[in-house]
Amino acid sequence: MEVASSESTITVLSTGKQFDLSLRRGVYPIYSVVDSQGAVVESMHRWLRSLRAQIGLTVSEHTVPLYGRILSYLCRWLEHAQLYPSLSIDEQLKILSRWDITKWLNHMKEHGASSHHTLHTREACLKTFLEWLTTKEAGQLRDAENSPYGRDGKLGYITATPNARSPKFVSPEIVVELLNSMYNECERCMFHAQYDMGLRLSDVIRMTVDDIPDDNAYNPALEFIPLCVKRSKGRGGQSPEKITLVSRAVLRRIKRYHGTPEYKLAPDWDIHDPKKPAFLTANRIVWSKRNASKQFNSAVRRSTLSKISTHWMRHGTAYSVLRSDMGKDYQDRMLIVQQMLGHRDLTTTEIYTQIPPSLLQALTKAGSAINRLGEAESIREKTYLGPLQHREMRGHHA
């Protein structure tokens, strides 16, 4: 449950007590969990409130609603399973055992959470919550000696840590087919930019006009221009800046998009507002990550492609650079990929060496290195939609 009201207290239906919802002034929304009767689960609410106060310090802004959803799944299961029918949800959480958690995870697996990664994420959320219940902040509602993960906390997860996923090879031909399955230039331009720059989707939708570099300020001989963006993923909930590269072809496409009446006359911003989002929906509002992913997945369904996610576009960027003529050698290109993808450690980038250089070279049509600027221009020419060619403006509300 997400509470957008500024009321400072509510009544807990299960007990009749007044319950504090207040945070420091101006900090909303407030996240909470309620049972099937509409009663607030107090311990869950307090934990989410604690996490909400740590956003930007040790917690990402996306973590709180995600953990809230996971706790709501646990709440519904506890009500359905009737493990301790005479106890409230809060009382059951105080005595939840490892065997109970195992049964919940099996239930999740049977009802759609088939991904090993998803199950591990849900267990990690519950483990963190149960650990918080042992703290003074929580009132030491649980005894640390009776933790489902051992009295020293070293008993392993029930769901083993998933192995690192192999990167996916996304060719320019796949990108062209995907973009051509999108109805509007605002979508095509944004996802082409993501593929060109290797950004996470959350980074792309946070970009502003002020982030777009002026290509006239750089040597015309440069095919790629540095671009500084704020990352959505950083240590301790921070949003550090990163430098990536944007091709002149994609930069021209963005500038052309910014020159359209649909973009320039968006009602919520002045025409020359530097803080205006670099990409807007067809309805001229801010993209949300959920909505952008939804439009991407709809385009995949309209194409002949099999399952593909927005994150695969970053994989496509990496392999595009590694197959290209950028840098002096393969090691140079690995360093470029590390910089563009924002990897702190080169060992993270080395997952892309699973496809050896010789095979990457063979994957190109000519069997030799590709020119990335030419690739970007080819994608733009094959997928550009003029203002009168847009086919649909539905489904773009955040």
Side-chain angles (χ1 to χ4, degrees), residues 263-280:
Y263 181 84
K264 291 174 68 175
L265 301 179
D268 294 334
W269 299 271
D270 294 334
I271 291 180
H272 301 296
D273 187 350
K275 299 304 179 183
K276 184 177 182 179
F279 303 100
L280 299 175

Side-chain angles (χ1 to χ4, degrees), residues 322 324-336:
L322 293 176
S324 74
D325 56 4
M326 299 177 74
K328 296 179 180 179
D329 52 29
Y330 188 77
Q331 185 62 31
D332 266 3
R333 292 191 284 277
M334 284 290 291
L335 293 174
I336 293 172

Side-chain angles (χ1 to χ4, degrees), residues 43-91:
S43 58
M44 292 181 175
H45 172 85
R46 291 175 57 213
W47 184 54
L48 293 175
R49 184 171 182 265
S50 175
L51 290 177
R52 181 69 180 82
Q54 298 174 51
I55 289 179
L57 299 175
T58 59
V59 175
S60 164
E61 62 181 335
H62 305 295
T63 300
V64 184
L66 172 62
Y67 280 9
R69 285 195 297 272
I70 293 173
L71 292 182
S72 71
Y73 302 151
L74 175 64
C75 181
R76 296 294 173 268
W77 178 76
L78 287 173
E79 292 180 311
H80 173 76
Q82 292 289 299
L83 299 177
Y84 311 99
S86 62
L87 301 180
S88 68
I89 300 297
D90 280 310
E91 291 169 332

Side-chain angles (χ1 to χ4, degrees), residues 149-390:
Y149 296 93
R151 63 180 60 184
D152 56 0
K154 294 183 179 180
L155 192 59
Y157 280 93
I158 299 168
T159 306
T161 303
N163 296 323
R165 298 176 180 177
S166 299
K168 311 299 181 182
F169 179 78
V170 177
S171 67
E173 292 75 21
I174 290 177
V175 176
V176 168
E177 180 174 355
L178 177 64
L179 297 184
N180 281 332
S181 298
M182 296 177 180
Y183 288 143
N184 301 285
E185 175 61 13
C186 61
E187 302 166 7
R188 297 187 182 192
C189 182
M190 181 173 70
F191 286 109
H192 187 189
Q194 184 192 15
Y195 173 78
D196 191 68
M197 295 184 285
L199 298 175
R200 292 180 175 84
L201 179 57
S202 52
D203 294 336
V204 177
I205 63 177
R206 286 157 58 105
M207 287 177 61
T208 64
V209 171
D210 207 28
D211 294 326
I212 307 301
D214 180 6
D215 54 338
N216 295 320
Y218 293 85
N219 188 328
L222 293 177
E223 295 182 343
F224 291 84
I225 295 173
L227 182 145
C228 181
V229 297
K230 278 204 168 187
R231 299 174 59 188
S232 60
K233 182 178 180 181
R235 294 189 176 184
Q238 301 299 308
S239 298
E241 291 185 341
K242 62 167 279 189
I243 302 292
T244 187
L245 298 174
V246 58
S247 68
R248 285 187 179 272
V250 167
L251 198 53
R252 286 194 295 270
R253 184 171 196 167
I254 295 173
K255 294 292 182 67
R256 192 168 183 178
Y257 163 61
H258 286 180
T260 61
E262 291 80 10
Y263 181 84
K264 291 174 68 175
L265 301 179
D268 294 334
W269 299 271
D270 294 334
I271 291 180
H272 301 296
D273 187 350
K275 299 304 179 183
K276 184 177 182 179
F279 303 100
L280 299 175
T281 73
N283 287 320
R284 301 185 292 178
I285 59 177
V286 177
W287 282 103
S288 68
K289 184 178 178 181
R290 179 178 179 275
N291 189 30
S293 297
K294 181 179 178 181
Q295 296 303 321
F296 184 93
N297 293 334
S298 296
V300 172
R301 288 193 294 271
R302 288 192 291 265
S303 70
T304 62
L305 302 172
S306 57
K307 183 178 178 181
I308 178 174
S309 73
T310 59
H311 197 75
W312 290 16
M313 301 293 269
R314 279 168 56 84
H315 300 327
T317 307
Y319 284 129
S320 175
V321 172
L322 293 176
R323 293 189 303 147
S324 74
D325 56 4
M326 299 177 74
K328 296 179 180 179
D329 52 29
Y330 188 77
Q331 185 62 31
D332 266 3
R333 292 191 284 277
M334 284 290 291
L335 293 174
I336 293 172
V337 170
Q338 179 190 12
Q339 180 67 42
M340 292 184 68
L341 299 191
H343 293 160
R344 182 180 295 269
D345 196 325
L346 187 59
T347 56
T348 306
T349 314
E350 287 174 352
I351 62 170
Y352 296 102
T353 61
Q354 293 180 20
I355 300 180
S358 57
L359 181 55
L360 279 176
Q361 189 175 10
L363 287 171
T364 62
K365 287 186 176 180
S368 58
I370 62 173
N371 177 268
R372 286 207 76 223
L373 178 61
E375 176 190 86
E377 184 59 40
S378 174
I379 292 174
R380 188 198 67 80
E381 290 177 352
K382 294 176 181 178
T383 62
Y384 176 73
L385 268 181
L388 299 181
Q389 295 175 290
H390 293 195

